[in-house]
PDB file of all heavy atoms in Angstrom:
ATOM      1  N   ALA A   8      64.058 165.449 113.793  1.00 98.00           N
ATOM      2  CA  ALA A   8      65.343 165.848 114.382  1.00 98.00           C
ATOM      3  C   ALA A   8      65.490 167.368 114.369  1.00 98.00           C
ATOM      4  O   ALA A   8      66.006 167.957 115.336  1.00 98.00           O
ATOM      5  CB  ALA A   8      66.494 165.195 113.632  1.00 98.00           C
ATOM      6  N   LEU A   9      65.048 168.021 113.304  1.00 98.00           N
ATOM      7  CA  LEU A   9      65.111 169.483 113.246  1.00 98.00           C
ATOM      8  C   LEU A   9      64.245 170.095 114.344  1.00 98.00           C
ATOM      9  O   LEU A   9      64.666 171.035 115.029  1.00 98.00           O
ATOM     10  CB  LEU A   9      64.661 169.992 111.874  1.00 98.00           C
ATOM     11  CG  LEU A   9      65.653 169.817 110.736  1.00 98.00           C
ATOM     12  CD1 LEU A   9      64.990 170.127 109.394  1.00 98.00           C
ATOM     13  CD2 LEU A   9      66.870 170.699 110.941  1.00 98.00           C
ATOM     14  N   ASN A  10      63.045 169.567 114.521  1.00 98.00           N
ATOM     15  CA  ASN A  10      62.150 170.097 115.546  1.00 98.00           C
ATOM     16  C   ASN A  10      62.749 169.919 116.940  1.00 98.00           C
ATOM     17  O   ASN A  10      62.727 170.848 117.760  1.00 98.00           O
ATOM     18  CB  ASN A  10      60.778 169.432 115.457  1.00 98.00           C
ATOM     19  CG  ASN A  10      59.754 170.167 116.287  1.00 98.00           C
ATOM     20  OD1 ASN A  10      59.418 171.316 116.003  1.00 98.00           O
ATOM     21  ND2 ASN A  10      59.268 169.522 117.330  1.00 98.00           N
ATOM     22  N   ALA A  11      63.302 168.743 117.212  1.00 98.00           N
ATOM     23  CA  ALA A  11      63.901 168.485 118.538  1.00 98.00           C
ATOM     24  C   ALA A  11      65.081 169.411 118.793  1.00 98.00           C
ATOM     25  O   ALA A  11      65.220 169.970 119.892  1.00 98.00           O
ATOM     26  CB  ALA A  11      64.332 167.024 118.634  1.00 98.00           C
ATOM     27  N   ALA A  12      65.929 169.608 117.789  1.00 98.00           N
ATOM     28  CA  ALA A  12      67.096 170.472 117.955  1.00 98.00           C
ATOM     29  C   ALA A  12      66.678 171.934 118.119  1.00 98.00           C
ATOM     30  O   ALA A  12      67.255 172.660 118.938  1.00 98.00           O
ATOM     31  CB  ALA A  12      68.040 170.318 116.755  1.00 98.00           C
ATOM     32  N   ALA A  13      65.678 172.370 117.365  1.00 98.00           N
ATOM     33  CA  ALA A  13      65.210 173.752 117.468  1.00 98.00           C
ATOM     34  C   ALA A  13      64.545 174.002 118.816  1.00 98.00           C
ATOM     35  O   ALA A  13      64.744 175.049 119.439  1.00 98.00           O
ATOM     36  CB  ALA A  13      64.252 174.075 116.328  1.00 98.00           C
ATOM     37  N   LYS A  14      63.763 173.036 119.289  1.00 98.00           N
ATOM     38  CA  LYS A  14      63.118 173.181 120.600  1.00 98.00           C
ATOM     39  C   LYS A  14      64.178 173.270 121.695  1.00 98.00           C
ATOM     40  O   LYS A  14      64.100 174.136 122.579  1.00 98.00           O
ATOM     41  CB  LYS A  14      62.178 172.010 120.862  1.00 98.00           C
ATOM     42  CG  LYS A  14      61.456 172.150 122.184  1.00 98.00           C
ATOM     43  CD  LYS A  14      60.496 171.010 122.442  1.00 98.00           C
ATOM     44  CE  LYS A  14      59.781 171.287 123.746  1.00 98.00           C
ATOM     45  NZ  LYS A  14      59.480 170.124 124.501  1.00 98.00           N
ATOM     46  N   ALA A  15      65.181 172.394 121.657  1.00 98.00           N
ATOM     47  CA  ALA A  15      66.250 172.428 122.659  1.00 98.00           C
ATOM     48  C   ALA A  15      66.996 173.760 122.612  1.00 98.00           C
ATOM     49  O   ALA A  15      67.332 174.341 123.650  1.00 98.00           O
ATOM     50  CB  ALA A  15      67.217 171.262 122.441  1.00 98.00           C
ATOM     51  N   ALA A  16      67.234 174.278 121.405  1.00 98.00           N
ATOM     52  CA  ALA A  16      67.917 175.566 121.269  1.00 98.00           C
ATOM     53  C   ALA A  16      67.079 176.693 121.861  1.00 98.00           C
ATOM     54  O   ALA A  16      67.613 177.605 122.495  1.00 98.00           O
ATOM     55  CB  ALA A  16      68.236 175.840 119.799  1.00 98.00           C
ATOM     56  N   SER A  17      65.759 176.641 121.666  1.00 98.00           N
ATOM     57  CA  SER A  17      64.899 177.711 122.195  1.00 98.00           C
ATOM     58  C   SER A  17      64.980 177.783 123.718  1.00 98.00           C
ATOM     59  O   SER A  17      64.818 178.855 124.303  1.00 98.00           O
ATOM     60  CB  SER A  17      63.446 177.522 121.751  1.00 98.00           C
ATOM     61  OG  SER A  17      62.800 176.505 122.491  1.00 98.00           O
ATOM     62  N   GLU A  18      65.254 176.654 124.345  1.00 98.00           N
ATOM     63  CA  GLU A  18      65.365 176.622 125.801  1.00 98.00           C
ATOM     64  C   GLU A  18      66.651 177.293 126.297  1.00 98.00           C
ATOM     65  O   GLU A  18      66.779 177.584 127.482  1.00 98.00           O
ATOM     66  CB  GLU A  18      65.262 175.174 126.286  1.00 98.00           C
ATOM     67  CG  GLU A  18      63.871 174.592 126.029  1.00 98.00           C
ATOM     68  CD  GLU A  18      63.787 173.084 126.165  1.00 98.00           C
ATOM     69  OE1 GLU A  18      64.823 172.426 126.458  1.00 98.00           O
ATOM     70  OE2 GLU A  18      62.681 172.552 125.969  1.00 98.00           O
ATOM     71  N   GLN A  19      67.579 177.548 125.391  1.00 98.00           N
ATOM     72  CA  GLN A  19      68.832 178.230 125.731  1.00 98.00           C
ATOM     73  C   GLN A  19      68.819 179.704 125.324  1.00 98.00           C
ATOM     74  O   GLN A  19      69.798 180.422 125.545  1.00 98.00           O
ATOM     75  CB  GLN A  19      70.020 177.522 125.057  1.00 98.00           C
ATOM     76  CG  GLN A  19      70.180 176.079 125.485  1.00 98.00           C
ATOM     77  CD  GLN A  19      70.317 175.946 126.996  1.00 98.00           C
ATOM     78  OE1 GLN A  19      71.050 176.688 127.641  1.00 98.00           O
ATOM     79  NE2 GLN A  19      69.604 174.997 127.570  1.00 98.00           N
ATOM     80  N   ALA A  20      67.732 180.150 124.715  1.00 98.00           N
ATOM     81  CA  ALA A  20      67.652 181.534 124.231  1.00 98.00           C
ATOM     82  C   ALA A  20      67.871 182.526 125.369  1.00 98.00           C
ATOM     83  O   ALA A  20      67.474 182.293 126.511  1.00 98.00           O
ATOM     84  CB  ALA A  20      66.302 181.784 123.574  1.00 98.00           C
ATOM     85  N   TYR A  21      68.503 183.632 125.025  1.00 98.00           N
ATOM     86  CA  TYR A  21      68.694 184.732 125.966  1.00 98.00           C
ATOM     87  C   TYR A  21      67.762 185.847 125.495  1.00 98.00           C
ATOM     88  O   TYR A  21      68.080 186.588 124.565  1.00 98.00           O
ATOM     89  CB  TYR A  21      70.152 185.185 125.968  1.00 98.00           C
ATOM     90  CG  TYR A  21      70.406 186.348 126.912  1.00 98.00           C
ATOM     91  CD1 TYR A  21      70.408 186.161 128.290  1.00 98.00           C
ATOM     92  CD2 TYR A  21      70.636 187.619 126.418  1.00 98.00           C
ATOM     93  CE1 TYR A  21      70.625 187.218 129.161  1.00 98.00           C
ATOM     94  CE2 TYR A  21      70.870 188.692 127.275  1.00 98.00           C
ATOM     95  CZ  TYR A  21      70.855 188.479 128.642  1.00 98.00           C
ATOM     96  OH  TYR A  21      71.079 189.523 129.499  1.00 98.00           O
ATOM     97  N   ALA A  22      66.562 185.905 126.097  1.00 98.00           N
ATOM     98  CA  ALA A  22      65.536 186.843 125.648  1.00 98.00           C
ATOM     99  C   ALA A  22      64.919 187.604 126.822  1.00 98.00           C
ATOM    100  O   ALA A  22      63.702 187.595 127.023  1.00 98.00           O
ATOM    101  CB  ALA A  22      64.466 186.072 124.876  1.00 98.00           C
ATOM    102  N   PRO A  23      65.745 188.320 127.613  1.00 97.00           N
ATOM    103  CA  PRO A  23      65.205 189.014 128.782  1.00 97.00           C
ATOM    104  C   PRO A  23      64.345 190.234 128.434  1.00 97.00           C
ATOM    105  O   PRO A  23      63.565 190.692 129.266  1.00 97.00           O
ATOM    106  CB  PRO A  23      66.461 189.442 129.551  1.00 97.00           C
ATOM    107  CG  PRO A  23      67.500 189.607 128.488  1.00 97.00           C
ATOM    108  CD  PRO A  23      67.188 188.522 127.483  1.00 97.00           C
ATOM    109  N   TYR A  24      64.456 190.752 127.226  1.00 96.00           N
ATOM    110  CA  TYR A  24      63.733 191.967 126.851  1.00 96.00           C
ATOM    111  C   TYR A  24      62.409 191.649 126.175  1.00 96.00           C
ATOM    112  O   TYR A  24      61.375 192.215 126.505  1.00 96.00           O
ATOM    113  CB  TYR A  24      64.614 192.862 125.972  1.00 96.00           C
ATOM    114  CG  TYR A  24      65.932 193.134 126.651  1.00 96.00           C
ATOM    115  CD1 TYR A  24      67.093 192.475 126.259  1.00 96.00           C
ATOM    116  CD2 TYR A  24      66.006 193.993 127.752  1.00 96.00           C
ATOM    117  CE1 TYR A  24      68.294 192.683 126.920  1.00 96.00           C
ATOM    118  CE2 TYR A  24      67.204 194.198 128.425  1.00 96.00           C
ATOM    119  CZ  TYR A  24      68.346 193.537 128.006  1.00 96.00           C
ATOM    120  OH  TYR A  24      69.527 193.744 128.677  1.00 96.00           O
ATOM    121  N   SER A  25      62.414 190.737 125.246  1.00 95.00           N
ATOM    122  CA  SER A  25      61.191 190.399 124.525  1.00 95.00           C
ATOM    123  C   SER A  25      60.409 189.266 125.171  1.00 95.00           C
ATOM    124  O   SER A  25      59.220 189.115 124.900  1.00 95.00           O
ATOM    125  CB  SER A  25      61.524 189.981 123.091  1.00 95.00           C
ATOM    126  OG  SER A  25      62.163 188.706 123.086  1.00 95.00           O
TER     127      SER A  25
END
Side-chain angles (χ1 to χ4, degrees):
L9 285 170
N10 193 65
K14 182 179 183 214
S17 77
E18 294 166 359
Q19 300 304 315
Y21 179 73
Y24 306 103
S25 71

